[in-house]
Amino acid sequence: MPPTVTSNKRLVALYRSIVLPRMIEEKMLNLLRQGRLSKWFSGIGQEAIAVGVTATLHDDDFILPMHRNLGVFTTRGVDLGRLFRQLLGKEGGFTKGRDRTFHFGTLDHKIVGMISHLGAMLPVADGLALAAQLRGEKRVAAAFTGDGSTSEGDFHEAVNLAAVWKLPVLFVVENNQYGLSTPLREQYAAKDIADKAIGYGIEGRIVDGNDLIAVCDAVWEAAERARAGQGPTLLEFKTFRMRGHEEASGTAYVPKELFAEWAKKDPVTRYENQVIERGILTKQEVAAIRKEFKSSIDDLVDQALALPDPDSTAERELADVYAPSLLVPREPEPSALASAPEIRYVDAVRDALREALARHPNVVLMGQDIAEYGGVFKCTEGLSERFGKARVRNTPIIESGAVGAAMGLALDGFVPMIEMQFGDFVTCGFNQIVNNLAKTHYRWGARLPVVVRLPVGGGVGAGPFHSQNMEGWFTQVAGLKVVAPATPFDAKGLLLASFEDGNPVLFLEHKGLYRSAKGRVPEGYYTLPIGKARVARPGADATIVTYGAGVPWAVSAAATLAGEGFEAEVIDLRTLNPWDLATVAQSVGKTSKALVLHEAPVTGGFGAEVAAVVSRECFRDLDAPVERLGGLDTPVPFSKALEELFMPKARLLDALRRLVTS
Ligand SMILES: Cc1ncc(C[n+]2csc(CCOP(=O)(O)OP(=O)(O)O)c2C)c(N)n1
């Protein structure tokens, strides 16, 4: 039996739970009218859903609320004073003034809050549910979404992934009949959203979202099924948005009679009448509860309003972009390196993944075709056989959903890795990386140790969609670390370091190096520091700053140049965010000339950043402008001759000759 109907005490608690968010909202609407609150997305008329879900789930079940779900926070017992400070953008909220209203999580309350991008938290719920499933815990994750947001790709990826992996997830759709202004008939063609469950092979339910008890019962049933290992449920709660999308946007597009019709079904009044009619509370008791809430809300809001707006310094803001690194560098002894076997880059990557799985029980690998098949580049060959398919997991063909799920795993103590089949496909996971992974620590302090491996680059005749170098897309985003090793030794040590670091790391593996780069790689576990460049070849006449595939090109061009009487020093950056200005500056101090080289197109490429910083920081040492050499400003073409034309490799020697003789 659902616990909702078992005791009067519980029915009274539910009354308190549903009336509190309504009263807080009424207060917020007042503050908005007085100009003391900047924006408000109302959940009035929809409270039964947030309250019913939260009241029914266990305290250790994760909930991922959206913009109308104040009732999740109040029902979970989040400190109201702190909540008001957050809502009013004051000192002492949950985000230090860095994000607004409900855009925060509190892991103490097992709440993972939203980002603005609709649908983005749905795959995160999958990851949280997977964490429970992997540990054999009977916890569920409930993710909220509006009807409009069910059109987003993340919704489909998340529901499908949960279905395929039988994850204990409740997809809570609040069907309030409008997106921002777009009505249902312009949003989807299915009769009901719950019908879509059939297409994913899961259970779907339609529930009266304005009936608190019906909500509780449906949630209880879905959660019981999930806890019993029977997978996710798509719960469609029919409701209605009684106010505008947000308070400034009006309701002119909504037929007036709908308001009248739905006002009769108001979930708070309806439940209040039920408890009074059933003799569970008297009218006087109801009035007393409301009076008690009013006075505490008024007091706490006054206290919050009296506080200053958040204040900070550039240093403090920058310090919170990343979680403190957990990396303990364990560099191998030079003797271990001297006697180490020579292996290929691809073998070094696989070796690192094997070491990570063996050393860290919380490492989980996910990606397309990475289990029995071993990945298209064979980086994970043999790992699922050795460590099991629970830890080396094939995903469906999803990128956004997989990265989102990785975030969920990371929030609950795992260290997941996603292999993009080709780096190019990261475009389909872009939002999860640049908005969810990158910004969470800065916004509300959660650590996200997620490694995303990207086989990048061209030179293999693979055309515009399997050849790109995308470091420039990500080095611009605060909150991501970007690593681009050029040698097998670095690939292994830096990949293991990425697993340890405790922040989101994009790990760029150049496909051309997988089988061409060979070198000594010590057996066993070691890590290398993130943010430390190396001198790949010493020289005194010019500095080539490069990374990835640029390193062997630069070393080979420097050897040719040596025959002409000039010695170029090659600096392999190894990591691009952070990058090692000190090592570059030391080299330029010696050579007085610098060329920045990369395979990606030159315009707006990472070389622009290096060139700008070196020009400023090494100004007094430079005898010539810093040169940049990169791919042509075109997509990467398919045919061999055209691709060679694209690549900067053929232009490198001439550029170097010009530089050293300038
Ligand atoms: C990816 C994305 N696209 C567009 C928006 C702008 N936007 C914010 S809320 C909203 C409507 C959402 O409708 P629905 O999912 O039904 O939720 P509701 O607001 O009705 O609760 C839109 C279009 C956004 N925040 N994110």
Side-chain angles (χ1 to χ4, degrees):
M1 278 289 279
T4 44
V5 292
T6 53
S7 80
N8 283 3
K9 200 170 146 214
R10 192 164 159 77
L11 293 174
V12 173
L14 273 178
Y15 176 69
R16 293 176 69 88
S17 293
I18 196 165
V19 90
L20 180 58
R22 170 67 58 90
M23 294 187 69
I24 293 174
E25 268 222 46
E26 284 165 350
K27 179 78 181 178
M28 292 299 148
L29 295 179
N30 264 329
L31 295 173
L32 196 77
R33 283 190 279 273
Q34 294 162 10
R36 299 161 99 177
L37 180 70
S38 59
K39 212 171 179 117
W40 188 257
F41 295 87
S42 175
I44 286 182
Q46 302 180 208
E47 294 95 334
I49 305 164
V51 169
V53 167
T54 314
T56 306
L57 293 183
H58 303 165
D59 286 348
D60 61 353
D61 292 327
F62 272 101
I63 303 185
L64 298 90
M66 290 298 291
H67 46 296
R68 305 191 195 283
N69 302 137
L70 170 62
V72 169
F73 298 86
T74 51
T75 309
R76 269 275 155 100
V78 171
D79 177 72
L80 285 188
R82 191 167 178 203
L83 185 62
F84 293 159
R85 295 194 284 278
Q86 168 66 24
L87 299 180
L88 293 164
K90 294 292 183 177
E91 195 70 74
F94 286 88
T95 64
K96 304 183 184 173
R98 292 171 185 163
D99 207 345
R100 69 186 196 204
T101 48
F102 301 122
H103 290 207
F104 68 93
T106 153
L107 294 178
D108 291 344
H109 297 91
K110 298 277 188 278
I111 292 175
V112 176
M114 62 183 287
I115 62 170
S116 290
H117 291 60
L118 298 167
M121 304 316 293
L122 298 168
V124 179
D126 285 356
L128 291 162
L130 177 59
Q133 189 188 65
L134 287 170
R135 291 199 184 102
E137 295 167 354
K138 299 215 169 300
R139 290 188 290 110
V140 309
F144 282 74
T145 171
D147 44 275
S149 309
T150 63
S151 303
E152 289 283 352
D154 266 336
F155 172 79
H156 300 278
E157 293 194 13
V159 177
N160 184 55
L161 184 67
V164 172
W165 287 356
K166 272 198 176 307
L167 297 174
V169 183
L170 276 54
F171 292 101
V172 176
V173 183
E174 292 186 281
N175 188 344
N176 66 10
Q177 314 201 26
Y178 285 87
L180 196 154
S181 73
T182 305
L184 299 184
R185 66 178 180 281
E186 294 175 39
Q187 197 66 247
Y188 54 82
K191 181 168 166 287
D192 293 296
I193 291 171
D195 290 346
K196 300 184 185 199
I198 301 165
Y200 296 106
I202 64 169
E203 292 293 320
R205 296 275 186 280
I206 296 174
V207 185
D208 178 349
N210 283 27
D211 177 347
L212 182 56
I213 297 298
V215 172
C216 293
D217 290 351
V219 169
W220 182 81
E221 190 208 319
E224 285 300 295
R225 293 185 54 261
R227 290 185 216 288
Q230 290 165 24
T233 304
L234 181 57
L235 292 161
E236 178 182 1
F237 295 100
K238 304 275 193 194
T239 185
F240 190 69
R241 199 188 66 204
M242 292 299 284
R243 304 191 66 86
H245 165 64
E246 49 97 18
E247 288 305 309
S249 62
T251 54
Y253 49 87
V254 183
K256 295 275 166 298
E257 42 306 351
L258 280 180
F259 288 111
E261 184 191 325
W262 281 88
K264 286 187 219 139
K265 301 188 229 174
D266 179 84
V268 178
T269 317
R270 192 163 158 191
Y271 187 67
E272 189 169 283
N273 289 341
Q274 279 174 3
V275 285
I276 292 171
E277 275 160 25
R278 288 172 62 181
I280 289 154
L281 284 171
T282 64
K283 282 187 177 166
Q284 292 74 16
E285 284 168 328
V286 160
I289 290 171
R290 285 180 173 266
K291 193 166 166 223
E292 171 201 330
F293 282 160
K294 180 168 181 336
S295 103
S296 90
I297 293 167
D298 286 346
D299 284 353
L300 290 168
V301 166
D302 285 346
Q303 287 170 28
L305 284 171
L307 288 168
D309 290 340
D311 189 20
S312 190
T313 60
E315 289 72 27
R316 226 177 298 159
E317 295 307 295
L318 288 167
D320 275 353
V321 172
Y322 297 91
S325 175
L326 301 173
L327 172 62
V328 182
R330 294 179 187 84
E331 296 191 54
E333 295 298 323
S335 58
L337 187 56
S339 60
E342 281 221 349
I343 61 173
R344 300 171 305 172
Y345 191 113
V346 64
D347 304 317
V349 169
R350 191 184 313 109
D351 209 15
L353 295 174
R354 192 186 309 112
E355 292 290 339
L357 284 160
R359 190 180 184 98
H360 308 297
N362 54 355
V363 163
V364 174
L365 312 187
M366 302 192 283
Q368 292 160 30
D369 308 291
I370 71 161
E372 293 88 343
Y373 188 69
V376 293
F377 296 103
K378 303 296 167 203
C379 291
T380 54
E381 198 166 43
L383 298 182
S384 73
E385 288 79 354
R386 173 138 172 216
F387 296 97
K389 281 194 73 174
R391 294 183 68 198
V392 183
R393 310 177 72 91
N394 281 337
T395 67
I397 303 173
I398 54 172
E399 285 78 21
S400 188
V403 177
M407 169 161 161
L409 276 175
L411 283 169
D412 203 20
F414 283 85
V415 181
M417 179 228 74
I418 300 294
E419 176 179 293
M420 290 288 153
Q421 194 153 71
F422 283 78
D424 307 65
F425 303 137
V426 75
T427 47
C428 302
F430 197 70
N431 181 45
Q432 289 291 345
I433 293 175
V434 304
N435 286 320
N436 247 343
L437 291 188
K439 296 179 180 38
T440 299
H441 187 267
Y442 176 71
R443 292 165 53 241
W444 56 275
R447 180 183 280 285
L448 290 181
V450 176
V451 179
V452 183
R453 290 183 36 250
L454 308 164
V456 301
V460 288
F465 307 110
H466 288 77
S467 305
Q468 296 172 86
N469 286 278
M470 58 283 303
E471 64 274 17
W473 300 347
F474 296 110
T475 47
Q476 220 261 334
V477 180
L480 301 174
K481 296 195 176 182
V482 181
V483 178
T487 66
F489 174 74
D490 284 354
K492 179 171 173 182
L494 285 169
L495 184 49
L496 286 168
S498 302
F499 276 104
E500 268 193 33
D501 187 78
N503 283 286
V505 180
L506 298 194
F507 196 83
L508 311 179
E509 299 163 9
H510 197 287
K511 300 194 288 289
L513 297 176
Y514 272 148
R515 286 170 174 77
S516 69
K518 294 193 186 67
R520 292 195 187 283
V521 176
E523 281 164 0
Y525 194 90
Y526 69 92
T527 59
L528 297 172
I530 290 178
K532 190 91 198 74
R534 72 180 180 107
V535 179
R537 183 190 197 282
D541 298 320
T543 300
I544 309 172
V545 184
T546 189
Y547 49 90
V551 175
W553 296 344
V555 169
S556 143
T560 308
L561 201 68
E564 299 169 20
F566 297 101
E567 293 292 344
E569 179 146 294
V570 179
I571 304 293
D572 172 6
L573 286 178
R574 295 155 119 194
T575 72
L576 309 183
N577 190 4
W579 69 276
D580 183 0
L581 172 63
T583 299
V584 175
Q586 198 177 14
S587 175
V588 174
K590 186 171 63 174
T591 64
S592 306
K593 289 179 179 174
L595 178 145
V596 190
L597 166 72
H598 54 58
E599 184 178 300
V602 77
T603 302
F606 185 66
E609 174 67 19
V610 176
V613 175
V614 170
S615 299
R616 190 191 59 215
E617 298 297 322
C618 308
F619 185 69
R620 286 171 203 287
D621 293 321
L622 285 166
D623 284 346
V626 178
E627 288 295 329
R628 285 192 289 151
L629 188 64
L632 289 186
D633 287 326
T634 66
V636 185
F638 166 66
S639 97
K640 198 167 182 303
L642 293 183
E643 195 180 20
E644 274 169 17
L645 199 62
F646 167 89
M647 290 287 169
K649 186 180 173 189
R651 299 189 294 279
L652 176 58
L653 207 48
D654 280 349
L656 273 178
R657 286 187 184 119
R658 276 198 305 276
L659 185 64
V660 291
T661 55
S662 62

